[in-house]
Amino acid sequence: MAVHRVVIVGGGAGGLELATKLGDRFGRRKRAEITLVESRRTHFWKPHLHEIAAGSMDLDVYETDYLAQSHWHSFLYRIGEMCGLDRANRRVHVAPFVDEDGDAVTGARSIEYDTLVMAVGSRTNDFGTPGAKQHAIALDDPVAAERFHRRLVNAYIRAHTQHEPLRAGQLHVAIIGAGATGVELAAELHNTTRTLVSYGLDRIDPDKDVRLVLIEAADRILPALPQRLSAAAMKLLEGMRISVRTASRVAEVLPDGVRLADGELIPAELAVWAAGVKAPDLLRDLDGLETNRINQLVVRATLQTTRDDDVFAIGDCAACPWLGKEPATVPPRAQAAHQQASHMVKQVAHRLQGRPLMPWRYRDFGSLVSLGEYSTVGNLMGALTGGNLWLEGWFARMMYLSLYKMHELALHGFWKMALDTAARLITRRTEPHIKLH
């Protein structure tokens, strides 16, 4: 009897957790062949990208190597980007992989599947705003986050060494979008820029020369989260003297600033686009699968796509019904991807045993927003607390950190997670608290 072939496309939070769990449970015992298709060599937890951008986290310390992970957890890693799907013959088409120097590494190929799980995540949605792609950096991946940080450090060194006075907008950063990513980035930059200046850049006064501007089209920050959480975060941002512009729609991003719909120009040396998300364009009309207006694959409660029982989708790329809150769909959050990955393990087990699939029900444990090393606000809700518990300060910070620890635990197990955490605490005492290059 042929071994059941499970192909997972995308190695983000949900995809890599799923490949790891399936490899441990079925791949190791040769009960199924698990293959992960991913175009990058290493994995990084996306909710921490703002810390890479601000320089408070070192990518090399926190990334996971896909090839090593596949070896340790009994799944196959195939480098490359999916470029097409043949549902009739159950094949995933993978484009040739070309490295940074333009050299071909792998050729085009096809991978056969019995169960296909799409977990390709989401990208920033700039809504076609003029200049956004050319002049703003979207924090979609570690490469973009590191590029922003490199430009930030260069901007500070440039300002420190120049003889003429700072020009209008120099050392100003415009962050477009005041969702969780934008708010967390603004707070993190407030803290890390002061640390950066303290490393000998004494000609810069962070209170006078540095300006962070957070721009949001809605009438409040964190518009997708509860009003009370938004108000608490706003109070903390005001205490940091971060300029917040709500009810302000961006009409154009310029090389030296941002133009609002009312014509006002906000000068800025650097711009970050953190407003809106959409699934990759690849999913639009993917061999006839149903998608919504932001390219998400429409799935049923079983996580199966509406037009093919053998194709599933999890994470940000899936438009999944929120059972009990229809017609709402599950929001694109890391906790949803984590829960869906765990449920998909059970679904694969049911398929191997010929049993009917079970519907997945989202459990909302609340929202936590980090505003720097010591300030976090959020609410825990649902089964975790039996109600709605509002958090702020140190305890909220610990709960925020625990979200990432849950991800590490799913990938590496308890002992590696614990030892890695201890090692990072030790090395943090002997290294700069921010990345300086």
Side-chain angles (χ1 to χ4, degrees):
M1 182 177 177
V3 175
H4 191 91
R5 299 160 300 184
V6 181
V7 175
I8 303 160
V9 180
L16 185 56
E17 284 189 21
L18 176 59
T20 299
K21 291 177 179 180
L22 289 177
D24 288 342
R25 183 167 175 177
F26 303 116
R28 187 162 291 156
R29 297 172 177 82
K30 308 298 182 184
R31 292 179 57 196
E33 180 182 87
I34 316 301
T35 302
L36 176 66
V37 179
E38 168 58 52
S39 61
R40 297 189 180 92
R41 300 180 192 273
T42 58
H43 162 80
F44 181 79
W45 201 52
K46 195 171 182 179
H48 277 168
L49 282 177
H50 70 281
E51 295 181 68
I52 297 294
S56 52
M57 180 175 283
D58 190 339
L59 176 63
D60 294 337
V61 176
Y62 285 86
E63 61 187 355
T64 297
D65 189 290
Y66 286 117
L67 195 58
Q69 186 77 1
S70 69
H71 171 69
W72 292 329
H73 296 278
S74 305
F75 65 88
L76 303 174
Y77 162 59
R78 298 294 180 253
I79 193 168
E81 184 172 356
M82 178 180 179
C83 60
L85 175 65
D86 180 356
R87 292 196 290 126
N89 295 300
R90 294 193 294 193
R91 293 171 182 261
V92 171
H93 299 310
V94 182
F97 179 74
V98 180
D99 67 12
E100 301 82 6
D101 299 320
D103 296 327
V105 179
T106 66
R109 63 217 140 124
S110 295
I111 301 174
E112 296 182 341
Y113 67 86
D114 298 302
T115 297
L116 173 63
V117 184
M118 299 298 299
V120 293
S122 62
R123 310 288 291 177
T124 300
N125 188 356
D126 61 21
F127 308 104
T129 304
K133 283 185 171 60
Q134 295 84 357
H135 307 305
I137 295 178
L139 301 185
D140 285 325
D141 52 48
V143 174
E146 288 201 308
R147 183 167 69 251
F148 172 81
H149 177 66
R150 187 167 58 250
R151 291 185 183 179
L152 180 73
V153 173
N154 288 343
Y156 275 73
I157 294 175
R158 185 185 305 116
H160 174 71
T161 57
Q162 71 186 41
H163 299 292
E164 63 275 13
L166 296 179
R167 65 182 184 278
Q170 192 172 356
L171 295 185
H172 292 192
V173 180
I175 302 170
I176 303 158
T181 299
V183 169
E184 290 182 331
L185 176 62
E188 201 73 28
L189 284 173
H190 169 82
N191 297 326
T192 58
T193 52
R194 278 151 179 76
T195 305
L196 178 61
V197 168
S198 72
Y199 283 98
L201 304 182
D202 50 359
R203 294 185 60 196
I204 299 173
D205 184 339
D207 293 322
K208 293 180 180 179
D209 300 332
V210 177
R211 188 183 183 213
L212 302 173
V213 185
L214 193 57
I215 305 169
E216 171 57 47
D219 59 2
R220 63 182 176 91
I221 65 171
L222 303 172
L225 301 182
Q227 171 75 41
R228 183 173 173 181
L229 198 160
S230 173
M234 185 69 181
K235 184 178 179 181
L236 287 168
L237 292 177
E238 289 173 347
M240 300 177 192
R241 292 194 291 182
I242 294 172
S243 177
V244 179
R245 302 291 301 270
T246 55
S248 301
R249 188 174 64 84
V250 173
E252 184 180 7
V253 182
L254 304 169
D256 56 355
V258 174
R259 189 181 305 281
L260 302 181
D262 61 6
E264 181 184 357
L265 177 64
I266 298 177
E269 185 172 7
L270 294 169
V272 177
W273 192 280
V277 297
K278 66 176 181 177
D281 293 338
L282 162 75
L283 301 184
R284 193 189 308 128
D285 193 29
L286 184 62
D287 198 16
L289 294 176
E290 182 185 2
T291 55
N292 63 11
R293 60 181 178 81
I294 57 171
N295 302 336
Q296 290 176 310
L297 292 169
V298 180
V299 301
R300 291 165 273 168
T302 56
L303 304 180
Q304 292 168 296
T305 53
T306 54
R307 297 174 182 169
D308 195 323
D309 289 348
D310 295 325
V311 181
F312 296 72
I314 65 173
D316 289 4
C317 73
C320 183
W322 190 338
L323 296 182
K325 288 197 177 185
E326 291 95 342
T329 57
V330 174
R333 296 181 186 170
Q335 61 174 307
H338 173 76
Q339 292 175 37
Q340 288 172 333
S342 297
H343 188 76
M344 268 306 305
V345 176
K346 301 173 186 176
Q347 301 292 62
V348 170
H350 282 212
R351 281 174 71 86
L352 291 176
Q353 297 162 7
R355 296 165 56 192
L357 302 184
M358 302 296 292
W360 172 68
R361 185 176 296 273
Y362 176 53
R363 301 173 67 195
D364 186 1
F365 291 118
S367 304
L368 292 164
V369 179
S370 172
L371 290 101
E373 189 170 354
Y374 303 108
S375 300
T376 299
V377 297
N379 67 316
L380 301 180
M381 57 196 301
L384 192 63
T385 62
N388 196 347
L389 175 65
W390 292 91
L391 303 173
E392 189 170 342
W394 182 85
F395 183 70
R397 177 66 180 170
M398 293 301 102
M399 293 301 299
Y400 181 87
L401 293 174
S402 73
L403 298 177
Y404 178 60
K405 293 305 164 187
M406 289 173 58
H407 178 62
E408 284 194 310
L409 185 64
L411 294 185
H412 308 305
F414 175 78
W415 286 111
K416 187 175 189 305
M417 181 271 290
L419 291 171
D420 282 348
T421 301
R424 291 165 190 159
L425 288 173
I426 293 170
T427 56
R428 186 168 173 80
R429 295 181 179 275
T430 62
E431 297 176 350
H433 282 195
I434 66 166
K435 194 174 181 183
L436 301 174
H437 59 279

